[in-house]
Amino acid sequence: MSCHEQEIALLRREVEMLMSERQALLRVVGAATALIASLDSQRLPVGAVEAADMVATSINRLGEETLQDALTAAHAEIEDSPACA
């Protein structure tokens, strides 16, 4: 195998690893999004509300397409729930 072919093979493995990591991160983000959307902040301890807010703020910084990819990867859907229960 030539040096050029070895470099291509190495790059291919690196890209495959990065894509695998991206899928894992998308599953985590999708699951976190579904969890945050289902929480009732009125019933959570203050520390949990602060942590949920930090996660929600990070999620809100994602692009719409990335967020949709994350929900798809986690097989999650966010249901519209009434503001008052």
Side-chain angles (χ1 to χ4, degrees):
M1 184 181 285
S2 74
C3 185
H4 182 69
E5 289 171 331
Q6 289 176 342
E7 288 176 353
I8 290 172
L10 180 62
L11 286 172
R12 181 176 287 121
R13 284 193 299 273
E14 185 71 22
V15 168
E16 289 170 357
M17 183 188 72
L18 290 171
M19 292 304 293
S20 178
E21 286 182 12
R22 180 181 188 273
Q23 279 304 114
L25 290 170
L26 286 173
R27 283 191 297 275
V28 170
V29 169
T33 300
L35 175 64
I36 296 297
S38 69
L39 293 177
D40 179 357
S41 61
Q42 300 296 323
R43 297 176 182 234
L44 293 174
V46 173
V49 171
E50 291 170 358
D53 183 56
M54 188 175 7
V55 173
T57 299
S58 297
I59 289 169
N60 286 334
R61 290 184 181 140
L62 295 174
E64 186 174 331
E65 185 176 327
T66 301
L67 181 54
Q68 188 57 51
D69 288 348
L71 292 171
T72 300
H75 305 292
E77 291 183 18
I78 299 175
E79 297 178 12
D80 290 330
S81 58
C84 299

